[in-house]
Amino acid sequence: MACLRRDVREWEERQVRKLAGARHAPADWIQRARIVVLSWSGMRGPAIAEQVGCHLETVRRRLRRFNAEGLDGLGDRPGSGRKPRLTQAERSQIIALAKNTPPGRPRWRPWGELEADDETGPAVWTLDALTAAARKSGITVGHSQVRRILLAEGVRWRRTRPWSTSKDPGFAAKER
């Protein structure tokens, strides 16, 4: 069992005790502070693990880290967690795709005809079309991930449909 160091400064102890009793702090920090405070009160590892609701090895690891790093040992180490699958450049490329005109959307040409750059391409961006275009450009990405990226950046991939648009040829006459 890791023994707590004896040279704990007064301000450090005050901070740990305050954090252990906090209600509006990250739960993992509160749990780690409680482990340290219970150890100061003389409880042994198995009893601490039972009271805090974690594994004995977690208690040992946390106490060792607190001994080595002090108050900073209660936090997470930098770089913990899953690494992003896409680089920032790939994310930017997906956003740029959504902001560009879809290849199948017809546009007026200077010679007066309505043509699309790619007759087989999508006329409007959908998540499936954006995902396919991203994969075509070499980005391995899923449908839901494209959606999350666009939502996080506030990018609209769909055109808004005005309420007055109708496929009925006599719509304008009926409207009056």
Side-chain angles (χ1 to χ4, degrees):
M1 179 73 195
C3 223
L4 272 176
R5 59 192 172 115
R6 305 242 184 249
D7 63 337
V8 177
R9 290 174 226 119
E10 186 179 321
W11 64 269
E12 193 175 39
E13 182 178 347
R14 213 176 23 241
Q15 286 291 104
V16 173
R17 289 188 186 281
K18 183 177 176 182
L19 186 59
R23 298 186 72 173
H24 300 289
D28 52 348
W29 280 68
I30 293 171
Q31 181 188 42
R32 295 164 191 169
R34 283 184 62 211
I35 289 171
V36 172
V37 169
L38 290 173
S39 178
W40 282 338
S41 69
M43 283 181 85
R44 308 286 296 154
I48 295 172
E50 187 177 324
Q51 184 162 347
V52 175
C54 65
H55 196 274
L56 175 61
E57 189 53 39
T58 303
V59 172
R60 289 178 179 153
R61 242 183 312 118
R62 287 296 159 194
L63 290 176
R64 266 188 250 119
R65 250 187 92 198
F66 181 78
N67 284 340
E69 301 173 29
L71 200 55
D72 293 334
L74 296 178
D76 291 327
R77 288 196 170 129
S80 61
R82 184 178 184 154
K83 305 297 181 253
R85 285 188 243 171
L86 297 177
T87 64
Q88 191 57 42
E90 290 172 328
R91 290 171 154 277
S92 298
Q93 206 173 348
I94 291 170
I95 292 166
L97 264 174
K99 290 190 177 234
N100 287 335
T101 306
R105 180 177 292 165
R107 295 189 299 187
W108 288 105
R109 300 299 179 181
W111 52 89
E113 290 190 25
L114 194 61
E115 288 182 355
D117 292 336
D118 180 10
E119 295 292 328
T120 61
V124 292
W125 284 128
T126 62
L127 287 177
D128 290 332
L130 281 168
T131 303
R135 287 180 179 164
K136 195 174 183 181
S137 65
I139 303 171
T140 307
V141 66
H143 174 92
S144 60
Q145 194 168 15
V146 170
R147 181 178 180 279
R148 281 193 305 269
I149 290 168
L150 296 177
L151 285 175
E153 295 297 323
V155 176
R156 296 182 62 126
W157 65 91
R158 295 172 275 198
R159 285 189 313 172
T160 55
R161 250 180 108 175
W163 64 271
S164 61
T165 305
S166 174
K167 294 181 181 179
D168 182 9
F171 177 72
K174 292 177 186 176
E175 185 180 33
R176 292 188 198 120

